[in-house]
Amino acid sequence: MKKIEAIIKPFKLDDVKDALNQLGVKGMTLTEVKGYGRQKGHKEIYRGAEYVVDFIPKVKLELIVSNDQVGEIVEVIRKAALTGKIGDGKIFVLPVEEVIRVRTGETGEDAI
Amino acid sequence: MISGADTAFILVSAALVLLMTPGLAIFYAGMVRGKNVLATILQSFIMITVISLEWVYLGYSMAFGPDIGGFIGDLSFFSLNGVTSAPSAVYATTIPQNVFMIYQCMFAIITPALITGAFAERMRFGPFLIFSLAWTILVYNPVCHWVWGSGGWLAARGVLDFAGGLVVHLTSGMAALASVLVLGPRKGLGRESFMPHSLPMTLLGTGLLWFGWFGFNGGSALAANGIAATAFISTHLAGMAGMGMWLLVEWLHRKKPTTLGAASGAIAGLATVTPGAGFITPNSAIIIGIIAGFSCYLAVNLKNRIGFDDSLDVVGIHGLGGIIGTICLGLFATKTVNPSGADGLFAGNAAFLTTQVFGVAVVGAYAFLVSLILLKIIDIISGGLRVSHENEVLGLDQGAHSEKAYNM
């Protein structure tokens, strides 16, 4: 089992969610986050005063999937989140040791 | 002969009507999401600048200048040339003409501001400014002349509109209808919650609008007299009846009365009584408020069923209120209240009802068609009326103005 963490532009969330729903992904967790990568922050001016915005708002999606689905799901997320411009985000894939469903106590892939 | 009392009253009324525009701004701003608050407020506020300028150079003259064929005023009052502290020969002859001019200016300001509720949360600022200016010139000014201008052809036919059921509410309601059709719904309609971000703000706005409405309707008597008092009382009674009726229907239908329902009902009652305010008895005003509360509630519910995204219910409240109010005037008007008015159906004059229906049909069709054409043209020449998908999700406050309403 793997955990996919995707950090994407907020306005692409609907597209990504719809694409994942079409694949039959059963659930996900969403967090509003801020950050920067190679994009860095940018300067803004308000009423003549300049300030630097380091952390840019993004959303982070987390989902746990079986090993054989990983490639397909990552590709779907990447396509749906793509604008081609800097700041489109990143996708991380991490190993997951165990999953337990709280209600039933099921474990492993049955609990996904 | 200038009357000091009339002059003082109309100056105060002008200030009251101006206050309605900031009142409307926060009435609307409370109903949008937290990311579109400032953009919504600014759309109303900036009309004070755009339309006041337009009024000085074009608007007053087009609406109230010497008549050309019943359709429009000529441009002889350009730059308020000749509009002085001497009274006009034809309008409000007991007050200086410049007092009448500035009072009417406030009506011209709030009318395009009313439309903004329909396309809230999704229209670009630049095209919005172009539309509002062009709309005021091509829709508001002519209709104002037809109905209120000396020699206006609808007025000559006997159409009555005491304070703007046709000129203000129906024109803005039809423009709202056109803009919803052209712009389409907000992203996420029916999937995301569009809950109002601050209902206390909306209720405060309702209170300010109600307060200002006394100047809007009471001042439309254009004198400090009994007709002003009649209009003042009608306004208050219809507002309270509209609020009560909306709440009651909502309570029975949805099991719970809401504060947004109270605000909407009050505005529905106030808007609906506007055309008749100075021509009807207090009893009729209460009936009109009840009809308004009931029918506008139905209209707003129907909107949700058909997926028509008039964000803040300009069509269902102002458009419908203008129609119902103007037609109700055809039913309830009586010369016993105002000898310079008319007798309606219930006073035995069915012909006046027909006249009012004719007025609604003409103004409604004209305002809708011109608005639709304007929006289509501006959509093409401005590179699109709608904000980008990215800015719509980010919110117009940051996307268009680089500001946030709440920095916490």
Side-chain angles (χ1 to χ4, degrees):
Chain A
M1 292 173 293
K2 301 284 189 198
K3 177 185 192 188
I4 298 175
E5 280 188 15
I7 297 176
I8 60 171
K9 287 186 168 170
F11 84 101
K12 282 291 184 183
L13 175 62
D14 275 349
D15 295 345
V16 171
K17 192 183 76 183
D18 290 346
L20 288 172
N21 277 337
Q22 286 202 339
L23 266 188
V25 171
K26 294 201 181 67
M28 64 192 83
T29 305
L30 172 74
T31 321
E32 291 184 14
V33 295
K34 288 181 172 189
Y36 65 90
R38 276 195 288 182
Q39 178 185 11
K40 292 277 168 39
H42 58 275
K43 277 184 190 159
E44 289 195 8
I45 297 176
Y46 187 65
R47 205 173 264 260
E50 203 172 85
Y51 63 98
V52 178
V53 180
D54 276 335
F55 294 96
I56 295 163
K58 302 280 172 191
V59 293
K60 182 169 80 172
L61 279 176
E62 294 171 90
L63 45 158
I64 311 297
V65 301
S66 61
N67 291 340
D68 54 330
Q69 286 182 297
V70 172
E72 188 183 14
I73 288 177
V74 165
E75 196 46 33
V76 159
I77 294 175
R78 201 187 76 82
K79 273 194 188 139
L82 183 72
T83 69
K85 292 191 196 130
I86 198 159
D88 271 356
K90 285 215 167 52
I91 301 172
F92 308 110
V93 181
L94 296 76
V96 169
E97 278 189 18
E98 186 59 291
V99 176
I100 301 112
R101 176 170 281 130
V102 171
R103 178 169 53 84
T104 58
E106 287 165 281
T107 58
E109 294 203 357
D110 292 340
I112 292 178
Chain B
M1 204 23 209
I2 285 179
S3 150
D6 292 353
T7 305
F9 175 59
I10 301 306
L11 281 173
V12 170
S13 291
L16 282 170
V17 180
L18 173 76
L19 184 65
M20 292 174 78
T21 294
L24 180 74
I26 64 164
F27 172 74
Y28 280 167
M31 285 193 268
V32 298
R33 288 165 290 174
K35 60 187 180 181
N36 296 316
V37 178
L38 298 171
T40 303
I41 290 179
L42 190 59
Q43 285 184 344
S44 288
F45 252 90
I46 197 60
M47 285 301 107
I48 297 175
T49 295
V50 174
I51 305 305
S52 299
L53 261 175
E54 183 273 338
W55 196 247
V56 165
Y57 292 103
L58 268 182
Y60 182 69
S61 203
M62 286 178 72
F64 295 105
D67 176 68
I68 304 175
F71 282 92
I72 200 73
D74 71 15
L75 294 182
S76 55
F77 292 157
F78 170 79
S79 195
L80 302 182
N81 185 26
V83 180
T84 64
S85 53
S88 152
V90 282
Y91 306 108
T93 51
T94 61
I95 62 173
Q97 194 182 357
N98 56 11
V99 174
F100 177 71
M101 181 282 297
I102 200 66
Y103 178 64
Q104 290 295 340
C105 177
M106 304 313 179
F107 283 66
I109 291 169
I110 196 168
T111 307
L114 284 169
I115 308 168
T116 64
F119 49 70
E121 307 195 285
R122 58 193 184 284
M123 188 151 175
R124 283 169 63 212
F125 192 61
F128 150 73
L129 291 176
I130 299 169
F131 170 69
S132 299
L133 180 61
W135 185 87
T136 303
I137 294 169
L138 295 177
V139 178
Y140 184 83
N141 295 343
V143 172
C144 184
H145 184 78
W146 301 351
V147 178
W148 289 338
S150 174
W153 74 280
L154 284 179
R157 286 231 179 181
V159 173
L160 284 183
D161 179 4
F162 189 74
L166 293 171
V167 177
V168 174
H169 296 288
L170 183 56
T171 58
S172 59
M174 288 299 115
L177 180 63
S179 54
V180 174
L181 294 176
V182 174
L183 271 99
R186 289 167 288 180
K187 300 268 180 228
L189 179 72
R191 303 179 2 151
E192 291 167 33
S193 162
F194 289 159
M195 289 290 281
H197 94 284
S198 171
L199 284 170
M201 196 186 251
T202 294
L203 272 288
L204 178 60
T206 306
L208 285 173
L209 283 167
W210 196 322
F211 181 69
W213 229 297
F214 292 127
F216 196 94
N217 289 358
S220 286
L222 296 169
N225 59 18
I227 303 299
T230 297
F232 191 114
I233 293 163
S234 301
T235 304
H236 183 68
L237 294 179
M240 71 83 191
M243 177 160 73
M245 189 62 187
W246 186 302
L247 222 59
L248 180 66
V249 178
E250 188 177 43
W251 201 344
L252 294 171
H253 180 217
R254 299 266 183 221
K255 314 293 178 228
K256 278 178 187 164
T258 65
T259 51
L260 182 59
S264 308
I267 300 300
L270 292 162
T272 306
V273 82
T274 294
F279 299 124
I280 55 174
T281 64
N283 191 49
S284 304
I286 292 174
I287 296 170
I288 287 175
I290 289 172
I291 296 172
F294 181 75
S295 19
C296 294
Y297 178 81
L298 288 187
V300 167
N301 275 273
L302 180 70
K303 169 200 90 166
N304 291 323
R305 291 244 174 115
I306 61 176
F308 175 77
D309 193 20
D310 174 9
S311 313
L312 313 179
D313 294 316
V314 186
V315 180
I317 293 179
H318 296 281
L320 189 63
I323 293 171
I324 293 176
T326 306
I327 293 171
C328 277
L329 178 57
L331 301 173
F332 294 107
T334 164
K335 283 186 176 173
T336 56
V337 169
N338 187 340
S340 61
D343 278 329
L345 181 68
F346 298 150
N349 180 12
F352 179 58
L353 178 61
T354 317
T355 306
Q356 290 299 93
V357 172
F358 175 73
V360 166
V362 168
V363 172
Y366 177 77
F368 177 73
L369 285 175
V370 177
S371 304
L372 194 67
I373 294 166
L374 270 178
L375 286 160
K376 291 276 191 195
I377 293 174
I378 295 168
D379 192 19
I380 294 164
I381 61 165
S382 71
L385 298 170
R386 271 188 90 122
V387 297
S388 67
H389 182 190
E390 184 160 11
N391 276 347
E392 193 171 337
V393 172
L394 178 66
L396 272 58
D397 290 2
Q398 284 195 70
H401 307 293
S402 279
E403 290 179 302
K404 279 169 140 180
Y406 307 102
N407 291 289
M408 289 183 274

